[in-house]
Amino acid sequence: MLLLSCSLLTFGQRTLDENGKSSFMDRVYVGGGLGFNGGNNPYYGRYTYVGLYPIIGYMVTNQFSAGSTITYQYYNYPDVGQSVTQYGISPFARYNFGQMFAYSEYMILNSPTFDPNTPRKIYNRLLMGLGFQQPIGARGAINAMALYDVLYNPADRVFNSPWVFRVFFS
């Protein structure tokens, strides 16, 4: 229910006047996502996770748009008295063809490390994949994406898998 109510605050699907009569603000869209999780981790015990992901995009044409997502993630591990904050930016490009779309995102994430000489490090990720969009009403949609990180390095230990699956409302 929370996700559905948040989706009402976003600007969803719309079409542009291809004759160039659409204003700059007609082409801009905003949205985002929220994440919340909690449970037990086999290494650190109980944990709480909160994530915020606001986005802003620009519709270049009815099929092509580009923009950026800002990432803020907070992890708290009360059993070991530790918390972790990650933040970053992710420029993206999206090309629609019917209800399917191609998507690419370059994530730059700043995260703590376990090295006392380097307390924080920048991690990079290049996600590419496909998605499906199901319209809901005149301006909204539910989207599902399967993305693969072509730069994935298991030694980084900040990303669990090269695969990313997302479902979100816009």
Side-chain angles (χ1 to χ4, degrees):
M1 290 306 293
L2 178 63
L3 289 176
L4 287 174
S5 64
C6 290
S7 71
L8 298 175
L9 300 175
T10 64
F11 295 95
Q13 307 308 307
R14 58 184 131 159
T15 57
L16 300 172
D17 180 357
E18 292 293 343
N19 296 326
K21 297 185 185 199
S22 298
S23 72
F24 176 80
M25 288 310 294
D26 286 337
R27 294 175 177 269
V28 172
Y29 60 92
V30 296
L34 301 170
F36 180 78
N37 194 359
N40 285 305
N41 179 302
Y43 302 107
Y44 302 111
R46 293 177 299 135
Y47 74 93
T48 303
Y49 159 79
V50 177
L52 300 172
Y53 309 95
I55 68 166
I56 187 165
Y58 182 78
M59 294 177 67
V60 179
T61 68
N62 279 328
Q63 289 76 33
F64 179 73
S65 65
S68 186
T69 301
I70 296 172
T71 298
Y72 174 80
Q73 300 171 328
Y74 173 78
Y75 297 85
N76 183 31
Y77 302 94
D79 292 344
V80 294
Q82 194 172 24
S83 63
V84 174
T85 302
Q86 297 176 323
Y87 48 87
I89 190 165
S90 302
F92 67 85
R94 175 176 166 161
Y95 187 83
N96 298 316
F97 44 98
Q99 287 183 267
M100 299 288 293
F101 58 90
Y103 184 88
S104 180
E105 172 184 305
Y106 186 77
M107 176 184 270
I108 303 164
L109 186 71
N110 184 302
S111 181
T113 68
F114 295 106
D115 181 359
N117 297 323
T118 310
R120 296 192 75 85
K121 182 178 174 183
I122 301 291
Y123 295 92
N124 298 295
R125 173 172 234 196
L126 179 57
L127 299 170
M128 301 176 118
L130 295 173
F132 180 79
Q133 170 181 292
Q134 178 61 50
I136 302 173
R139 295 177 56 108
I142 185 168
N143 301 270
M145 293 191 294
L147 306 170
Y148 185 80
D149 181 1
V150 298
L151 301 178
Y152 180 71
N153 180 359
D156 283 342
R157 297 187 61 183
V158 74
F159 304 115
N160 293 328
S161 168
W163 287 100
V164 174
F165 300 98
R166 295 181 184 159
V167 176
F168 60 97
F169 296 93
S170 64

